[in-house]
Amino acid sequence: MKLMENTATFKYSWGIDAALDVIGGKWKPLVLYQLKEGTMRFSQIMERVKPKISQRMLTRELRELEKDGLITRKVYAVIPPKVEYTLTEKGDSLMPILDQLCDWGYEHMNEDIEFKCEE
């Protein structure tokens, strides 16, 4: 839980609180996991996570992940616009944790899972 010092500054009570603030929610871990193999365009990410997420929500999640320093966004000055997303070093450091979550899900929820975790 965040302890408010003032409206501009706060401290987390626990490390897990800080981590969940950055990667928490339904979509951020899934979006990060798609970038595990390398740089992707918006449409490629969308293709991998649809129909589970709307285009508007994906845009929002990508912006938040970029703001938190987990991904970088590169815009090319071409028509039509081309935008690529890549994990930063900070974002890449989450991959062992996300791999473990994926493995746990597969191990304990196997009958309900369509795809196996990447090796």
Side-chain angles (χ1 to χ4, degrees), residues 9 14 56 65 71 74 117:
T9 313
W14 303 94
R56 179 178 173 197
L65 290 167
I71 63 171
K74 184 173 183 180
C117 301

Side-chain angles (χ1 to χ4, degrees), residues 53-67:
I53 188 172
S54 68
Q55 187 172 352
R56 179 178 173 197
M57 181 59 76
L58 178 58
T59 299
R60 183 176 142 201
E61 297 293 74
L62 288 167
R63 286 181 182 156
E64 289 180 17
L65 290 167
E66 181 184 19
K67 179 184 72 74

Side-chain angles (χ1 to χ4, degrees), residues 39-53:
T39 300
M40 296 178 79
R41 295 181 67 178
F42 182 91
S43 60
Q44 293 172 304
I45 299 168
M46 188 73 203
E47 182 65 31
R48 288 181 172 219
V49 297
K50 76 175 187 180
K52 298 179 182 201
I53 188 172

Side-chain angles (χ1 to χ4, degrees), residues 2 8 10 12 18 20-23 28 32 58-73 85-86 88 90-91:
K2 298 174 190 175
F10 63 86
Y12 292 100
L20 289 175
D21 190 40
V22 175
I23 66 161
K28 287 180 184 176
L32 288 168
L58 178 58
T59 299
R60 183 176 142 201
E61 297 293 74
L62 288 167
R63 286 181 182 156
E64 289 180 17
L65 290 167
E66 181 184 19
K67 179 184 72 74
D68 290 330
L70 300 178
I71 63 171
T72 58
R73 177 178 185 259
Y85 297 90
T86 307
T88 62
K90 184 177 178 182

